[in-house]
Amino acid sequence: MVELEIDGRKIEVPAGSMVIQAAHQLNRYIPHFCYHKKLSVAANCRMCLVEVEKMPKAVPACATPVAAGMVVRTKSEKAVAAQQAVMEFLLINHPLDCPICDQGGECQLQDLAVGYGKSHSRYTEAKRVVFHKNAGPLIAMEEMTRCIHCTRCVRFGKEIAGVMELGMLGRGEHAEITAFVGQTVDSELSGNMIDLCPVGALTSKPFRYTARGWELTRYRSISPHDSVGANLIIQVKNQRVMRVLPFENEAVNECWISDKDRFSYEALNSDARLARPMVKHNGAWRETDWETALSAAVEGLQRVRSESGADSIAALASPHSTLEELYLLKQLMRGIGSPHIDFRLRQSDVRAALEGAPWLGMPITALSNITGALIIGSCLNRDHPLFAARLRQAAKNGAPVHLLNAIDDDARIASAHRLVAAPSCWLNELAGIVVAVAQIKGIAAPATFASVLPSEAAYAVAKTLAGNGGDEEIRAIFLGNLAVAHPDFSALHAAAHWIAKQSGATLGFLTEAANTVGAYIAGALPDVGGLSAAELFEQPRRAVVLLNVEVEYDAANPAAAQAALKQAEFVVSVSMFKQGVETADVLLPLAPFTETAGTFINAQGLIQSFNGVVRPFGEARPGWKILRALGNGLGLANFEYNSAEEVRAATLDNMDIAARLSNACHLPPALPERAADDSQNGEKNPVFERLSDIPIYSADPLVRRAPSLQATRAAKAARRVSLPSALFERLGLKDGDSVRIHQGACSATMFAERDARLPDNVVRIPAAAPASAQLGGLFGKIRVEKA
């Protein structure tokens, strides 16, 4: 520790700290623009100049390390004069358009100009003008003349998002921040640049010119998308959500949020919202009141139960639903007498008997400090952008990160070691690591893997996971969304569990949705004798209750799921949007997270509750109220709840969440052996393996209907099929040509693009898209031909 004095007060700070950090600990504010606690030091705005005793000139507080006995004055005549001089220079070319600037009222430069600016300018020459840029559908760079070259946006892209999408061109008065020629800003975290910009140079395109900061009411909430559970600030005007910003929580999302957290609010006011209950009568839909719609739902369920028994009724829920909704849906099915309920819509293999709710295996903050990791079947940037950012920081600190996937994707981790193999070969890759770990630890490998010869890559992964035996080491194996959706998930899980147990690493799940862990806690799973979601699609029920589910996009096998619902005699869909009109009989409008109270449990098992911030759209109602009303209509016991808090209390009921979290599995020690891929690419009509990841802006109903997100490059890419270079050449294609994909009895036509990152026998077909909804399972054999 180093002791110094700041404005007459002594303080001790860690060696290597900067003066501005020491001042912040004393709650002494030093004006600054370029400094940010999460970014590297640039020291190029010079606004944080302070006086240090025995130094002839004022020095930048952000770039001056503390020293023993240092005496700092932040408000002395010398310091203030230096700060005022810097402000005068910053305002020389800055346009005087605060009344029309979208940052007005929230501008750091505007605020500091009041305290450090002069009432008039000595600069009489013409101000410079910087031409606007096109940064894509999310970020507006229309008034780059306002830029003060703090380079926060540049450093954020390079250091946090993992891709340098903005940079500075020119020198002196010709310097300007710009994107690369012809490129847009496409990072999944790009919206954070808007927050970082201290002036009105980078602003939000969807929010632009819609409201002023002082007109907005701020509320706290929780993201309903991925399993991070990012903390949000939702800003409201006239009962309409206008903007979403991050709420700083170091234990969860630090001070960042992903672009789907930030911009998905557009869907809340979409024309596709279901505003009133609807009932199908003689094949035609008509809007009705809640009493009539609920009566129709209750009568339909009672009729099926009386004719065919409770076993003919099933329920499917989205893991993006709240804890309260999932609990009441479970109680509804239990009261009816049906064991058939599931939320694992994209999971086809449920043979593994889990000991508890699968979770991250560690606090989220530990991801930034891991010393080595193996990540199986995850497109990190698209599945979990904020987890990827933390793992990126760990890799920068020297942690080796190994990625096992069917595409050569480095997750923007420059040092990542990639193991690229077709999905059918993933177990073979893990088998090599199993044997390598066994040899390093001097133990016997499982019998079915005894003859496997580990590759050099397998030894490298095994050495990373075995570690050096240090107490400070944090080594981990993470199973991603693709691994859980894999048809041999049980075997992958068992192999990963064995590796983790024998190497001393932690096994974790990068869980799919905002409330995947919560769905396990709520018990939204089949009872004894009940069928999983995949089994229900193969063995259709006569009546189905859907909670926030769009089976054509959410199911592991969309073709089978849609066919199963068409066979059902009665379907009740509780949904935010007008969807499923071909298969449903009753549509009940569901309130999204901004219009209801609820609870999500994130990947680390953290319980986070939130309240509604606006009135429900039209006649939409909170899901827990809808399910309570259905329970009352069916005459079920224990459905007399008056608030979401009462439902939450009944759900948790003194439950020890930590005791319910477990990534262990019960499987025989002899793991099933997988043969190598048998695709014959030399045939006239070769067979390929399908890889189907879930695009980031197709993962849930809200992001699918956010216009700005759907205009991004990532969303457009999700509408194309990616072919390996060899196949692309063989079919004589050009980018944008159409191909016909055959999977069993299903087929679909999609635009094609070349992707050199794929193995020669793998074709990537993004799931949760209209074209891929016509196909079968997320994995399996396919044939491709030119359309």
PDB file of all heavy atoms in Angstrom, residues 348-360:
ATOM      1  N   SER A 348     -32.945 -32.501 -27.128  1.00  0.00           N
ATOM      2  CA  SER A 348     -33.516 -33.750 -27.654  1.00  0.00           C
ATOM      3  C   SER A 348     -33.090 -34.975 -26.850  1.00  0.00           C
ATOM      4  O   SER A 348     -33.758 -36.004 -26.890  1.00  0.00           O
ATOM      5  CB  SER A 348     -33.102 -33.931 -29.119  1.00  0.00           C
ATOM      6  OG  SER A 348     -31.689 -33.952 -29.245  1.00  0.00           O
ATOM      7  N   ASP A 349     -31.976 -34.880 -26.114  1.00  0.00           N
ATOM      8  CA  ASP A 349     -31.473 -36.010 -25.331  1.00  0.00           C
ATOM      9  C   ASP A 349     -31.628 -35.691 -23.848  1.00  0.00           C
ATOM     10  O   ASP A 349     -30.943 -34.818 -23.319  1.00  0.00           O
ATOM     11  CB  ASP A 349     -30.001 -36.264 -25.680  1.00  0.00           C
ATOM     12  CG  ASP A 349     -29.402 -37.403 -24.876  1.00  0.00           C
ATOM     13  OD1 ASP A 349     -30.153 -38.116 -24.189  1.00  0.00           O
ATOM     14  OD2 ASP A 349     -28.162 -37.589 -24.934  1.00  0.00           O
ATOM     15  N   VAL A 350     -32.537 -36.394 -23.176  1.00  0.00           N
ATOM     16  CA  VAL A 350     -32.781 -36.148 -21.749  1.00  0.00           C
ATOM     17  C   VAL A 350     -32.471 -37.390 -20.926  1.00  0.00           C
ATOM     18  O   VAL A 350     -33.003 -37.575 -19.827  1.00  0.00           O
ATOM     19  CB  VAL A 350     -34.244 -35.696 -21.513  1.00  0.00           C
ATOM     20  CG1 VAL A 350     -34.490 -34.349 -22.158  1.00  0.00           C
ATOM     21  CG2 VAL A 350     -35.226 -36.730 -22.049  1.00  0.00           C
ATOM     22  N   ARG A 351     -31.582 -38.237 -21.444  1.00  0.00           N
ATOM     23  CA  ARG A 351     -31.285 -39.488 -20.742  1.00  0.00           C
ATOM     24  C   ARG A 351     -30.480 -39.271 -19.474  1.00  0.00           C
ATOM     25  O   ARG A 351     -30.546 -40.066 -18.548  1.00  0.00           O
ATOM     26  CB  ARG A 351     -30.526 -40.437 -21.670  1.00  0.00           C
ATOM     27  CG  ARG A 351     -31.359 -40.964 -22.832  1.00  0.00           C
ATOM     28  CD  ARG A 351     -30.478 -41.722 -23.811  1.00  0.00           C
ATOM     29  NE  ARG A 351     -29.513 -40.833 -24.459  1.00  0.00           N
ATOM     30  CZ  ARG A 351     -28.519 -41.258 -25.224  1.00  0.00           C
ATOM     31  NH1 ARG A 351     -28.340 -42.554 -25.417  1.00  0.00           N
ATOM     32  NH2 ARG A 351     -27.694 -40.388 -25.794  1.00  0.00           N
ATOM     33  N   ALA A 352     -29.691 -38.205 -19.421  1.00  0.00           N
ATOM     34  CA  ALA A 352     -28.863 -37.957 -18.242  1.00  0.00           C
ATOM     35  C   ALA A 352     -29.747 -37.616 -17.046  1.00  0.00           C
ATOM     36  O   ALA A 352     -30.622 -36.755 -17.133  1.00  0.00           O
ATOM     37  CB  ALA A 352     -27.891 -36.813 -18.511  1.00  0.00           C
ATOM     38  N   ALA A 353     -29.530 -38.277 -15.944  1.00  0.00           N
ATOM     39  CA  ALA A 353     -30.269 -38.007 -14.716  1.00  0.00           C
ATOM     40  C   ALA A 353     -29.475 -36.993 -13.895  1.00  0.00           C
ATOM     41  O   ALA A 353     -28.484 -37.331 -13.246  1.00  0.00           O
ATOM     42  CB  ALA A 353     -30.475 -39.285 -13.931  1.00  0.00           C
ATOM     43  N   LEU A 354     -29.887 -35.750 -13.937  1.00  0.00           N
ATOM     44  CA  LEU A 354     -29.164 -34.699 -13.218  1.00  0.00           C
ATOM     45  C   LEU A 354     -29.452 -34.777 -11.728  1.00  0.00           C
ATOM     46  O   LEU A 354     -30.574 -35.085 -11.311  1.00  0.00           O
ATOM     47  CB  LEU A 354     -29.575 -33.331 -13.758  1.00  0.00           C
ATOM     48  CG  LEU A 354     -29.298 -33.072 -15.241  1.00  0.00           C
ATOM     49  CD1 LEU A 354     -29.874 -31.738 -15.661  1.00  0.00           C
ATOM     50  CD2 LEU A 354     -27.808 -33.103 -15.515  1.00  0.00           C
ATOM     51  N   GLU A 355     -28.453 -34.462 -10.936  1.00  0.00           N
ATOM     52  CA  GLU A 355     -28.646 -34.451  -9.491  1.00  0.00           C
ATOM     53  C   GLU A 355     -29.372 -33.203  -9.022  1.00  0.00           C
ATOM     54  O   GLU A 355     -29.931 -33.171  -7.939  1.00  0.00           O
ATOM     55  CB  GLU A 355     -27.282 -34.548  -8.792  1.00  0.00           C
ATOM     56  CG  GLU A 355     -26.620 -35.911  -8.958  1.00  0.00           C
ATOM     57  CD  GLU A 355     -25.329 -36.017  -8.164  1.00  0.00           C
ATOM     58  OE1 GLU A 355     -24.935 -35.012  -7.534  1.00  0.00           O
ATOM     59  OE2 GLU A 355     -24.714 -37.094  -8.176  1.00  0.00           O
ATOM     60  N   GLY A 356     -29.348 -32.145  -9.819  1.00  0.00           N
ATOM     61  CA  GLY A 356     -30.004 -30.899  -9.436  1.00  0.00           C
ATOM     62  C   GLY A 356     -30.131 -30.002 -10.643  1.00  0.00           C
ATOM     63  O   GLY A 356     -30.121 -30.467 -11.787  1.00  0.00           O
ATOM     64  N   ALA A 357     -30.258 -28.711 -10.402  1.00  0.00           N
ATOM     65  CA  ALA A 357     -30.387 -27.750 -11.484  1.00  0.00           C
ATOM     66  C   ALA A 357     -29.006 -27.424 -12.047  1.00  0.00           C
ATOM     67  O   ALA A 357     -28.120 -26.982 -11.306  1.00  0.00           O
ATOM     68  CB  ALA A 357     -31.053 -26.476 -10.963  1.00  0.00           C
ATOM     69  N   PRO A 358     -28.779 -27.636 -13.342  1.00  0.00           N
ATOM     70  CA  PRO A 358     -27.476 -27.304 -13.924  1.00  0.00           C
ATOM     71  C   PRO A 358     -27.238 -25.799 -13.879  1.00  0.00           C
ATOM     72  O   PRO A 358     -28.148 -25.008 -14.139  1.00  0.00           O
ATOM     73  CB  PRO A 358     -27.595 -27.817 -15.371  1.00  0.00           C
ATOM     74  CG  PRO A 358     -29.055 -27.882 -15.638  1.00  0.00           C
ATOM     75  CD  PRO A 358     -29.716 -28.181 -14.334  1.00  0.00           C
ATOM     76  N   TRP A 359     -25.994 -25.402 -13.558  1.00  0.00           N
ATOM     77  CA  TRP A 359     -25.704 -23.977 -13.384  1.00  0.00           C
ATOM     78  C   TRP A 359     -24.276 -23.695 -13.814  1.00  0.00           C
ATOM     79  O   TRP A 359     -23.548 -24.581 -14.272  1.00  0.00           O
ATOM     80  CB  TRP A 359     -25.954 -23.564 -11.936  1.00  0.00           C
ATOM     81  CG  TRP A 359     -24.998 -24.147 -10.926  1.00  0.00           C
ATOM     82  CD1 TRP A 359     -24.794 -25.468 -10.673  1.00  0.00           C
ATOM     83  CD2 TRP A 359     -24.108 -23.424 -10.062  1.00  0.00           C
ATOM     84  NE1 TRP A 359     -23.850 -25.623  -9.689  1.00  0.00           N
ATOM     85  CE2 TRP A 359     -23.410 -24.384  -9.299  1.00  0.00           C
ATOM     86  CE3 TRP A 359     -23.845 -22.085  -9.846  1.00  0.00           C
ATOM     87  CZ2 TRP A 359     -22.462 -24.031  -8.346  1.00  0.00           C
ATOM     88  CZ3 TRP A 359     -22.902 -21.731  -8.892  1.00  0.00           C
ATOM     89  CH2 TRP A 359     -22.221 -22.698  -8.146  1.00  0.00           C
ATOM     90  N   LEU A 360     -23.843 -22.448 -13.654  1.00  0.00           N
ATOM     91  CA  LEU A 360     -22.522 -22.022 -14.121  1.00  0.00           C
ATOM     92  C   LEU A 360     -21.395 -22.707 -13.369  1.00  0.00           C
ATOM     93  O   LEU A 360     -20.291 -22.853 -13.899  1.00  0.00           O
ATOM     94  CB  LEU A 360     -22.409 -20.498 -13.998  1.00  0.00           C
ATOM     95  CG  LEU A 360     -21.186 -19.835 -14.611  1.00  0.00           C
ATOM     96  CD1 LEU A 360     -21.139 -20.056 -16.121  1.00  0.00           C
ATOM     97  CD2 LEU A 360     -21.180 -18.332 -14.308  1.00  0.00           C
TER      98      LEU A 360
END
